[in-house]
Amino acid sequence: MPALDSTIMLSEHVIQARVREMARRISEDYADVDELFMIGVLRGCYIFMADLSRALSIPRHIDFIALSSYGKGTVSGAVRLIMDVRTDISRRHVLIVEDIVDTGHTLDYLLRLFRARSPASLKTCSLLRKSGSAQVDVPVDYLGFEIPDVWIVGYGLDCGDKYRALPYIAQISPEKKQET
Ligand code: PRP
């Protein structure tokens, strides 16, 4: 992995403690449900999804969806479906699992897509949400951390597809971002 000289925003210890706390709340809220249907949004969610799903104390089914956004950061925020979930979500209790909500376009797209498939319930979970960058107002039912609108990497999040495997989340400078 390339060296990263930047500021740690959320340490491994802080992230892991928060993930356990989120898992405890989710496990309580879904205690009476047969099975929680977790849908992770590739690729950024993969580490959070692994840790969160393992920390739950309730039955769960794991699936993934992959999206691509056209013109990231533009107001249009058009989102395209690359890979759909494998299973029918009708009458399931669905929890969308994201690493980060930025403009909100991705989550907004997913909520509309899944609502049309008649789930028993539909909620959202994101480790991070950037404050001040929302273009669409989307509900996040389980949120790990509210963070400032800066470039970050680690714990699944990338910069030019690097740094995803870092166990912590670090702020990356605009200069470093330019290099990738
Ligand atoms: C990131 C992140 C979310 C999305 C949020 O994905 O994983 O899915 O952006 O942004 P939004 O709120 O502005 O829609 P990205 O497109 O960077 O792809 P990746 O997960 O494969 O890195």
Side-chain angles (χ1 to χ4, degrees):
M1 189 184 303
L4 179 67
D5 52 342
S6 58
T7 322
I8 293 184
M9 178 185 281
L10 298 166
S11 70
E12 180 175 7
H13 175 77
V14 165
I15 294 171
Q16 291 301 330
R18 187 68 179 139
V19 171
R20 281 195 300 274
E21 168 60 20
M22 293 173 82
R24 193 188 56 74
R25 267 193 57 212
I26 294 167
S27 298
E28 278 176 13
D29 291 355
Y30 289 90
D32 297 331
V33 160
D34 293 351
E35 187 179 50
L36 175 62
F37 207 92
M38 303 174 79
I39 300 179
V41 186
L42 294 172
R43 291 166 288 179
C45 80
Y46 78 108
I47 293 179
F48 177 45
M49 181 73 154
D51 287 347
L52 183 71
S53 61
R54 286 180 296 179
L56 292 175
S57 57
I58 51 169
R60 64 288 207 189
H61 176 97
I62 307 295
D63 206 336
F64 292 94
I65 191 163
L67 305 169
S68 150
S69 47
Y70 288 120
K72 186 106 184 145
T74 62
V75 175
S76 83
V79 174
R80 185 166 59 107
L81 184 61
I82 302 286
M83 182 193 83
D84 206 343
V85 292
R86 293 192 180 191
T87 8
D88 177 10
I89 65 161
S90 62
R91 299 180 305 280
R92 305 279 195 171
H93 291 276
V94 174
L95 181 65
I96 302 171
V97 180
E98 267 283 26
D99 54 331
I100 186 164
V101 176
D102 185 353
T103 64
H105 286 296
T106 303
L107 203 50
D108 181 57
Y109 173 91
L110 287 171
L111 284 168
R112 284 187 281 111
L113 181 77
F114 290 147
R115 266 186 210 125
R117 297 180 183 182
S118 309
S121 69
L122 180 59
K123 284 194 185 181
T124 59
C125 172
S126 183
L127 180 69
L128 308 167
R129 180 171 58 193
K130 279 192 180 179
S131 50
S133 61
Q135 293 175 1
V136 191
D137 191 22
V138 282
V140 180
D141 298 293
Y142 302 96
L143 177 66
F145 304 94
E146 191 90 40
I147 60 161
D149 188 5
V150 293
W151 284 103
I152 49 165
V153 293
Y155 201 69
L157 290 108
D158 74 310
C159 181
D161 222 25
K162 294 178 193 156
Y163 310 118
R164 286 193 197 271
L166 291 172
Y168 53 84
I169 290 174
Q171 184 176 340
I172 190 166
S173 67
E175 295 76 43
K176 192 82 189 169
K177 162 105 184 73
Q178 295 267 311
E179 290 169 21
T180 55

